[in-house]
Amino acid sequence: MSSPETDDPTGDIHPEEFRRFGHEVVDWIADYLAGVDRLPVMPDLEPGALRTALPDRAPESPESLEAVLADFREQVVPATTHWNHPSFHAYFANTASGPGILGEMLAAALNANAMVWRTSPSATELEEVVTDWVARMLGLPDDFRGVINDTASSSSLYALAAAREMRLPESWASGLAGAPPGRIYTSEEAHSSIRKAATTLGFGRDGVRAIATDDDFRMRPDALRDALEDDRAAGVRPVAVVATIGTTSTTAVDPVADIAPIAEEAGVWLHVDAAYAGPMAALPEFAAHFRGWERAHSIVVNPHKWLFTPMDCSLLYCRRPDQLRAAFSLTPEYLRTPELASGTNLMDYGVSLGRRFRALKLWFVLRRFGVDGMVSRLREHVRLTRVVQGWVEATPGWEVLAPCPFATLIFRHAPADLDEAALDRHNRALMERVNRSGVAFFSHTEVRGRIGLRFSIGNLRTTEAHLRRTWGALESAAAEG
Ligand SMILES: *Cc1c(COP(=O)(O)O)cnc(C)c1O
């Protein structure tokens, strides 16, 4: 093994060393992506396994990149759960596509920090370009403007901060203490990030009112209307309604077209959480699920979920970006620049000052796939999900637990001789057996008190052959217990 070069005057590695290992890394990535389906999806390890295998402090003197890469291959990769595996079906399956990975590598090289326009005109303006492109692809009206955040949790937090600014403007100066309580309305099926945002913003746990859902897990507009009326009569100040298109548990779709007029009448902010299902708005045959979302004040869509973009990339759209800016613009003297009034300064649209060049990878993805390419892959994921649903429905002892509007099927094995408590234990155990086998990876959810497995299809490399193998693994794991 050669000793590390330390003679580069910059203190960094020599450009030729960079070139050599850069090629090696790219070769590794190409082989990894081509052969990822031969790896176990989830490693069969106990917590702490990697930590105890690695030294407890950094090396005193330089090590060679050969040594680092060897440990990456031998220690880090085997302790990794492979989200890019075609048999990853837990949570929401996603893909870091090749173009997205290349864009991410270049973003690291540029190391742009788009705090204000002049600190990175390209990162600032490409963010405007790609968020506009996605808005058009999804059929959003032209007045929606997007910014890119790390996650939907941040995007929803920022949207609700803007809602607080619109509805309780005095809170900017005096906070919420002593004032009548503000409240956010969302369905009992909403993502936990809405509750986290509410507590972070000072509304407290009681600042979220969970609205009942119907038999298909959709927010009930009549229950929303009643809750708003009750609260107003009780002196509570309604701040925002959060509707979800594609809930995290069952991918249910709240009736936004019926919710929007209720929110408008109450004068509150309407935020639509479409972190998972948002990309489906590009498919005309799914338009009904998105009816009314154009009336929202804000919408979140995650390209790192179902638009083939590597972590992290979450788009927050606001119809009135000035309202978002009102919640976050706070410019100290050292950040004042001549362009402050004319150019976009991304620091004004969220908590973080520093911002990664996330637009670059999305731009690579959108251009290399094209809208048609994306739409046809999304359509294929829906088709594959219907294939799996057909197997579940046609096989005695298995059942679907919830409607499946997109590409995430909630199902369980339900042999007739087990009671409900035993069925929950049985399904947890069979999921654990499959996950530990490394053949496929599932997560679970609770549907009206029953434990179900979530079969999410969203990886570009998933084929029917992978799904047949996984279905076989599920059937044999079910037979064992
Ligand atoms: C995944 C998801 C989130 C959270 O997304 P992060 O980007 O991980 O914060 C929020 N809402 C819905 C509906 C989701 O599916």
Side-chain angles (χ1 to χ4, degrees), residues 92 150-154 191 193 244-248 273-276 302 304-305 314:
F92 286 119
D150 53 359
T151 58
S153 304
S154 299
H191 190 264
S193 57
T244 311
I245 299 180
T247 60
T248 310
D273 181 355
Y276 161 65
N302 273 10
H304 76 223
K305 272 195 176 148
S314 172

Side-chain angles (χ1 to χ4, degrees), residues 32 52 101 121 147 259 267 304 360 386-387 396 411 419:
Y32 171 71
T52 49
I101 294 169
V147 289
I259 290 168
H304 76 223
L360 194 60
R386 299 287 164 258
V387 169
F411 69 109
D419 65 17

Side-chain angles (χ1 to χ4, degrees), residues 24-45:
E24 198 173 302
V25 165
V26 169
D27 284 343
W28 186 89
I29 295 173
D31 292 341
Y32 171 71
L33 296 177
V36 62
D37 63 349
R38 291 192 290 273
L39 299 174
V41 191
M42 185 185 87
D44 192 4
L45 293 174

Side-chain angles (χ1 to χ4, degrees), residues 145-349:
R145 288 277 93 81
V147 289
I148 308 185
N149 296 309
D150 53 359
T151 58
S153 304
S154 299
S155 292
S156 290
L157 171 68
Y158 300 167
L160 292 173
R164 186 180 66 176
E165 188 58 24
M166 178 181 88
R167 294 285 294 160
L168 313 176
E170 76 285 356
S171 66
W172 176 259
S174 54
L176 294 172
R183 194 163 278 170
I184 292 160
Y185 302 79
T186 193
S187 96
E188 54 199 8
E189 296 283 318
H191 190 264
S192 54
S193 57
I194 304 307
R195 279 177 191 283
K196 273 198 199 176
T199 47
T200 306
L201 291 167
F203 295 118
R205 281 239 310 255
D206 297 341
V208 176
R209 186 151 169 183
I211 306 300
T213 53
D214 66 15
D215 290 343
D216 288 341
F217 312 101
R218 302 174 297 201
M219 190 196 292
R220 277 177 37 205
D222 61 312
L224 172 65
R225 189 187 294 276
D226 290 350
L228 284 163
E229 278 169 14
D230 286 358
D231 276 0
R232 257 201 313 257
V236 170
R237 296 182 296 174
V239 171
V241 172
V242 180
T244 311
I245 299 180
T247 60
T248 310
S249 174
T250 67
T251 71
V253 177
D254 289 338
V256 182
D258 299 328
I259 290 168
I262 298 172
E264 281 160 15
E265 206 175 294
V268 303
W269 187 279
L270 176 61
H271 176 58
V272 171
D273 181 355
Y276 161 65
M280 294 304 277
L283 279 62
E285 65 271 33
F286 284 82
H289 293 317
F290 294 87
R291 271 202 320 122
W293 80 330
E294 71 287 350
R295 290 164 79 174
H297 293 75
S298 56
I299 296 175
V300 56
V301 177
N302 273 10
H304 76 223
K305 272 195 176 148
W306 209 3
L307 270 188
F308 321 134
T309 306
M311 279 287 291
D312 50 3
C313 189
S314 172
L315 311 185
L316 173 61
Y317 287 102
C318 286
R319 224 168 356 135
R320 294 263 315 274
D322 56 300
Q323 291 174 318
L324 185 59
R325 205 166 55 233
F328 289 108
S329 187
L330 225 174
T331 310
E333 184 52 37
Y334 53 82
L335 290 171
R336 287 190 189 281
T337 63
E339 305 82 29
L340 211 55
S342 54
T344 295
N345 299 294
L346 289 172
M347 65 173 183
D348 289 341
Y349 297 91

